[in-house]
Amino acid sequence: MAAAIFPPRPLPPLPAGGGRGRGIPGKGAGAPAPQTLPEGCGWAAAPGEAGVSPRGRGSSKMLPTTLVNSRSQGNGALSPRDAARHTAGAKRYKYLRRLFHFRQMDFEFALWQMLYLFTSPQRVYRNFHYRKQTKDQWARDDPAFLVLLSIWLCVSTVGFGFVLDMGFFETIKLLLWVVFIDCVGVGLLIATLMWFVSNKYLVKQQNRDYDVEWGYAFDVHLNAFYPLLVILHFIQLFFINYVIISDSVIGYFVGNTLWLIAIGYYIYVTFLGYSGE
């Protein structure tokens, strides 16, 4: 028995005004509203700048900020359990706990960040923006970068002591100085200073509900410290015995140039971190 074939039913004509009142995309009143970022994913404009989307032309003028009291997100209010997970103490506890679980760390991604901090730092900070959209925080939640940086600190300091023909205890003393003074101590000071200045002077008055995370400020310091460490503790080693210590004009020029490049790169990477690149 052959099946009956029915002709296709014609579609109703499109109403005037591009689907007005029926929710059909068009130019009428029924067109859907443009999508916006969820609450808590704000970018506070720097003083004197308009609030442009981070994807727009003015993204270099934005500050990476977080809602101070994010009571709601999406279409409903956060439960007390979910709100507790977004506190600074909970994020810090989760970060420190992952330090003892190496299988949960993404070392491949951390190596990718270290590579692009030299070639394209903007891509590294763009990933911070993606983390804010997915995990609701700017600071790193994976300590893999900190672990690799610590290993590089130890290896480079041992190499520095070997090139300068330092003793065992002198090398250990240099290592402790580099880790706890140059990296951690100066990092805490600079991160706290930049965190205070950003929240005090760089966030617009009408955006006081948003602030810059202190953990993100410390991550910016680590991002800027890594290139400085490579330049002064690795590249400089090839010039110490033959050029820099030669007590000549060329030695002074090479040594000061390396320090100028390292400090300039530190300032540049820090500027990218607070400009929202």
Side-chain angles (χ1 to χ4, degrees), residues 239-272:
F239 302 93
I240 287 183
N241 289 333
Y242 302 101
V243 180
I244 298 178
I245 308 183
S246 62
D247 195 13
S248 61
V249 177
I250 298 178
Y252 294 145
F253 176 77
V254 173
N256 292 331
T257 301
L258 289 175
W259 271 91
L260 179 62
I261 294 175
I263 296 177
Y265 212 95
Y266 183 93
I267 297 175
Y268 172 67
V269 176
T270 303
F271 169 77
L272 292 180

Side-chain angles (χ1 to χ4, degrees), residues 156-214:
S156 62
T157 304
V158 171
F160 206 92
F162 177 78
V163 171
L164 295 180
D165 197 16
M166 301 173 60
F168 176 77
F169 292 102
E170 292 179 349
T171 304
I172 296 298
K173 184 179 179 179
L174 177 63
L175 175 62
L176 295 178
W177 179 274
V178 171
V179 172
F180 293 102
I181 302 299
D182 292 344
C183 182
V184 178
V186 176
L188 293 176
L189 180 62
I190 294 179
T192 304
L193 178 62
M194 295 302 297
W195 170 77
F196 174 79
V197 171
S198 300
N199 292 319
K200 183 71 175 180
Y201 301 105
L202 300 184
V203 179
K204 296 184 68 174
Q205 189 68 27
Q206 58 267 30
N207 290 329
R208 288 304 179 183
D209 290 337
Y210 295 88
D211 69 344
V212 178
E213 302 175 10
W214 186 91

Side-chain angles (χ1 to χ4, degrees), residues 73-90:
Q73 184 176 5
N75 297 326
L78 289 176
S79 62
R81 183 176 181 181
D82 293 335
R85 294 177 180 177
H86 289 76
T87 60

